Amino acid sequence: MAAGKSERLRRKGGVFDPLKDSSVDKLRARAIPQTPQSVSPSYRLAYADEDFLCRDELRPVRLQLELLKPEMILTEMGIKSTVVLFGGARIPAPGEEPWAARNEVQRRSLQQASIYYEEARKFAVFCAEESARHAHQEFVVVTGGGPGVMEAGNRGAAEAGAPSMGLNILLPHEQAPNQYVTPALSFNFHYFAIRKMHFLMRARAIAVFPGGFGTLDELFEALTLIQTRRMERIPLILFAEAFWRRIINFEALAEFGTIAPEDMELISFVETAEEAWQVISDFYELDAG
């Protein structure tokens, strides 16, 4: 075989591989004449058979695929660290009507909370500016990819000329990624557990804005991992101190003894994007660097 032809047999990374590529056989299978045998579900290539892959018995494989696909893409794109923004999908941009309000009280509350849409947007700009100093490989903004605070985070990064990630999940509502997520970094998940792993696997900081059950779930997941030292301590920042202290009585947990008093030190309360970025800058000594 000529040298030029043999070079085509190399996989990514330069590994020589004389075996036929699976994607080639996938295309060839489609071209096979249709007969009672070839159209039978049993004849489909296993890795190209969606019905087979969705069987209950294949759940462990699907979990692995959801972990592996984003990880491979992020590695290929050279993304080394992220800043995570959690927060409510129902918080509108300033001046917009809150689509989720069911009554006048909710409408007023959500409209007042729109200041945190703007703070999330500003905070993402700080992250994007720092990310630019690292060829957009560090401090990359990641959100849940939906509306509200998530949209604000992706929007701030996009307006600053930086890529940002969106980790969407299939839900009855909020299914489409917001328009500011970088398309190549827009992911979709079926499993909440794998999605939450990807939020934290590269996280250098977590900023949490007012939100509902989903936001609380993400907050306590991160707090638990840090408190139990299954995860290194990183800045965990809560925007809107009055909101959080009304929703969660952290001090009562410490007074009762179900958390240690020093566990409160894991949290930083802020009101503005500037304050939040200062927490991160101080933690990592960015100004000194």
Side-chain angles (χ1 to χ4, degrees):
M1 180 183 291
K5 290 183 179 179
S6 68
E7 287 305 304
R8 293 202 301 267
L9 301 178
R10 293 190 182 276
R11 286 188 274 118
K12 185 182 295 186
V15 177
F16 189 79
D17 184 359
L19 298 176
K20 190 61 64 178
D21 186 273
S22 59
S23 61
V24 174
D25 273 353
K26 181 179 177 182
L27 294 174
R28 285 179 173 172
R30 294 176 182 172
I32 291 175
Q34 292 195 345
T35 67
Q37 293 77 23
S38 67
V39 299
S40 170
S42 64
Y43 189 77
R44 298 173 192 159
L45 290 167
Y47 60 85
D49 187 345
E50 292 184 3
D51 292 333
F52 172 67
L53 291 175
C54 288
R55 288 180 56 148
D56 288 345
E57 300 90 336
L58 271 289
R59 180 173 291 144
V61 175
R62 295 195 299 273
L63 284 161
Q64 183 179 11
L65 290 173
E66 283 208 348
L67 180 64
L68 189 58
K69 180 182 176 180
E71 176 63 20
M72 289 175 63
I73 292 173
L74 296 179
T75 299
E76 289 168 358
M77 295 187 70
I79 293 179
K80 299 173 182 175
S81 72
T82 59
V83 177
V84 184
L85 275 72
F86 292 137
R90 305 181 184 208
I91 294 177
E96 292 185 2
E97 280 295 311
W99 58 269
R102 300 292 183 88
N103 53 54
E104 184 59 26
V105 173
Q106 288 188 354
R107 191 182 75 84
R108 286 199 304 270
S109 295
L110 290 170
Q111 281 184 326
Q112 291 170 1
S114 68
I115 61 171
Y116 294 108
Y117 180 105
E118 193 60 26
E119 292 304 323
R121 184 177 172 184
K122 292 177 184 177
F123 177 69
V125 171
F126 283 113
C127 299
E129 290 172 347
E130 181 63 29
S131 184
R133 299 185 183 98
H134 305 274
H136 297 301
Q137 294 182 327
E138 307 275 3
F139 295 94
V140 177
V141 168
V142 56
T143 79
V149 166
M150 295 173 280
E151 176 187 284
N154 295 120
R155 181 176 181 177
E159 291 173 344
S164 69
M165 296 164 53
L167 307 186
N168 282 83
I169 191 159
L170 288 170
L171 298 172
H173 306 288
E174 308 153 17
Q175 291 188 32
N178 69 67
Q179 62 180 311
Y180 302 104
V181 177
T182 301
L185 295 173
S186 183
F187 301 99
N188 199 13
F189 292 86
H190 172 73
Y191 297 105
F192 268 102
I194 302 299
R195 178 178 181 247
K196 287 194 286 187
M197 283 187 67
H198 278 293
F199 271 126
L200 300 179
M201 283 169 64
R202 286 171 167 78
R204 292 191 73 171
I206 300 170
V208 190
F209 294 79
F213 288 159
T215 302
L216 290 168
D217 176 44
E218 292 154 346
L219 166 62
F220 281 109
E221 177 92 19
L223 269 175
T224 300
L225 289 171
I226 295 171
Q227 183 208 42
T228 58
R229 301 185 182 179
R230 296 304 304 271
M231 175 179 174
E232 291 293 326
R233 183 175 177 181
I234 61 174
L236 200 158
I237 303 162
L238 300 188
F239 278 77
E241 182 172 3
F243 170 86
W244 289 111
R245 291 196 180 279
R246 181 182 178 190
I247 301 302
I248 307 165
N249 193 335
F250 295 101
E251 283 73 15
L253 292 172
E255 289 172 7
F256 194 84
T258 49
I259 67 171
E262 58 267 24
D263 287 336
M264 287 298 300
E265 298 173 8
L266 302 177
I267 301 169
S268 299
F269 292 100
V270 303
E271 298 300 323
T272 68
E274 290 82 1
E275 292 171 355
W277 185 252
Q278 192 62 54
V279 171
I280 296 173
S281 181
D282 291 346
F283 189 89
Y284 290 110
E285 299 181 339
L286 297 178
D287 293 336

